[in-house]
Structure formats: structure tokens, C-alpha cells
Amino acid sequence: MIAPSADSLLRVWEDHQRAHPVQRALAALCAASPELDPGAWAAASIGERDGGLLALHESLFGSELCTTAACPQCGERLESDFSARDIRSHPDALPGPQRSLRVQQAGYDIEYRLPTSDDLLQLAGAGEPERGAESDPERELLRRCVSRAQLADSVLDPASLPDDVVAGIAADMARHDPDADVRIALECPVCGTAWQMRFDIVSYFWGELDDWAQRLLADVHALASAYGWSEPAILALSPTRRQIYLDMVGA
Ligand SMILES: [Zn+2]
């Protein structure tokens, strides 16, 4: 994985303003790993993708992460700082091939693979009104991820599995893909309530990218106004040189 150039990151940001959050994440990851097949991140598990996004965040914006949350008991606003390294379980940030996994529970024998961004995008498309509102997203996801479901010798439709078997598959998925659901432990300093908050790197990363892009465009404006340089010339400057010129023009 490489840190993409300012120009290519800005392009990702500009081209995906109205895109689905999952597509935004995939576009940023593709810009950072031009050596990979374009579909590799879309076919990676959610945890692999989020681990990659954390690594990219680290290379672009540093490893410190800061979230705010409101206490569910008293409403106090909490700021919590933590490091990408605290929540990343896979140091290797590149997507690998999907493995076939197996759950055996109450006589049911299930073969499945982990959900991917491709699955989520397909489901997001299936949620549109014209595609039928009757489908249950969790069952639809099972249908996509389960390659074989059997009870004794009978082959079953994955969407017809009983709830406790579905819960067993979900628990097994979570075990095999721990980075897919990162939780941060919080404790309110006012009332002492402790709870866990889900950390969503997809929306967090895009928020940071958005701030970065707005700042960069303001810098381009300041330098273009002062020196008459073109946008490509200003974007091609290293961040250090850009900052030195910005200091000189007092921006
Ligand atoms: Zn509280």
C-alpha cells in the first residue's frame, strides 16, 4: 500500500461525493494499492477492508483517532482519543483470498465465506424500492455467503435456516473477522456509566478526507492567488514545501 498523491486523493474525494460510503472506501483503497486487481478490496472481508482503511488513514493522517460520543445515561459529551494500532488486529493490510469456513450446529452443517463489500453493495442495491421490499437483508446476505447448508442428507435454502443457526453463523463470522466490528470501551466521567461504542472507520476516514480536501483547496487558492501557479503545480509540491510557501504569503 502506498500513500496516494494529493491529486489522486483529491480525485477520489471529488468523484465520490454522492457515492455509497462503501464505494468511497473502496475507491480510496484502490488509489492506495494500484498493484492490486481493481476488484480485490471489494472481494475482501469487511475486517480486511477496514484494516486496510485504518492503515491508509495512518499513512495519510497519522495513527491518532478521535471520536466524540454522548453518554447514554446523562448526555455528557465525551471525547475519546485512541490509536489505530489499538484496534487493528491484522498488521498485514493487504486483502487475501477468501477462505471457505464451516459451522456445525444442532445437526446443521454449513459452509460459508465471510461477507464482503461487494455483498454489502449488492444488498444496498436490493434495498431500493423497485427491487422489492419483501427481502430481509440478513437472510439475503446469508444466501450470498452460504455455499452449502445441510441437515442430515437434505440440502437447504440458506434463507430458511432457523434463527439460532443464523446466530451461530454470525458469531462464527465475527470470530473469523474480528476487525469487522470494532468497539471502543467508554466510561462517562460524570455519572460513571460504562458502555461500548462501535467505531466505523469507513465514515471516520471519509470525514478526515473531506477536511483534508477542503483545507488543500483553500491552500491552492491562497498560493494560486499569491504566485499565479496552476493547480497541478501546487498539488505537485510536497506538503512541506507547500506549507513553507503558505507561511511566506501569510495564509
Ligand atoms: Zn454520564
Side-chain angles (χ1 to χ4, degrees):
M1 190 176 285
I2 55 160
S5 68
D7 183 52
S8 75
L9 262 187
L10 206 52
R11 212 172 287 274
V12 166
W13 171 77
E14 183 182 5
D15 290 348
H16 293 81
Q17 292 291 311
R18 293 169 192 279
H20 189 279
V22 170
Q23 281 165 333
R24 293 171 168 180
L26 295 176
L29 285 167
C30 287
S33 37
E35 76 283 9
L36 293 180
D37 181 275
W41 285 110
S45 75
I46 305 304
E48 280 180 323
R49 178 202 70 194
D50 287 358
L53 217 45
L54 267 178
L56 181 57
H57 182 279
E58 199 169 347
S59 73
L60 292 171
F61 309 123
S63 61
E64 293 310 306
L65 305 162
C66 178
T67 61
T68 54
C71 170
Q73 190 64 37
C74 73
E76 174 75 6
R77 284 192 69 78
L78 264 74
E79 242 182 44
S80 165
D81 294 311
F82 53 102
S83 161
R85 283 161 212 172
D86 297 340
I87 56 173
R88 220 168 104 204
S89 64
H90 296 297
D92 166 27
L94 290 178
Q98 282 277 337
R99 285 179 301 145
S100 179
L101 300 166
R102 193 171 183 191
V103 175
Q104 287 172 303
Q105 184 181 329
Y108 288 86
D109 189 0
I110 317 291
E111 249 178 48
Y112 77 95
R113 61 168 175 78
L114 294 172
T116 66
S117 297
D118 255 344
D119 294 322
L120 299 186
L121 287 172
Q122 288 292 330
L123 289 181
E128 287 164 11
E130 71 270 19
R131 296 278 296 273
E134 76 283 352
S135 68
D136 168 0
E138 193 185 24
R139 298 278 165 176
E140 206 48 51
L141 185 64
L142 268 188
R143 219 180 231 140
R144 295 181 59 85
C145 294
V146 170
S147 53
R148 185 178 59 86
Q150 267 181 268
L151 178 62
D153 288 336
S154 337
V155 175
L156 306 170
D157 176 356
S160 71
L161 290 168
D163 288 345
D164 56 336
V165 176
V166 172
I169 299 171
D172 201 58
M173 283 176 172
R175 243 191 326 275
H176 283 96
D177 203 21
D179 289 352
D181 187 17
V182 171
R183 306 260 161 183
I184 305 162
L186 297 173
E187 190 177 332
C188 176
V190 175
C191 72
T193 298
W195 79 102
Q196 291 206 325
M197 186 183 72
R198 179 161 193 274
F199 176 67
D200 179 15
I201 182 63
V202 170
S203 62
Y204 188 91
F205 179 87
W206 192 260
E208 296 275 288
L209 187 67
D210 196 42
D211 290 348
W212 168 87
Q214 307 279 0
R215 281 196 308 271
L216 183 62
L217 292 179
D219 292 351
V220 169
H221 171 72
L223 292 177
S225 304
Y227 295 108
W229 295 340
S230 69
E231 188 195 56
I234 295 167
L235 291 180
L237 291 170
S238 70
T240 308
R241 283 195 195 190
R242 207 181 295 134
Q243 191 54 52
I244 291 171
Y245 287 120
L246 283 166
D247 292 344
M248 286 180 187
V249 300

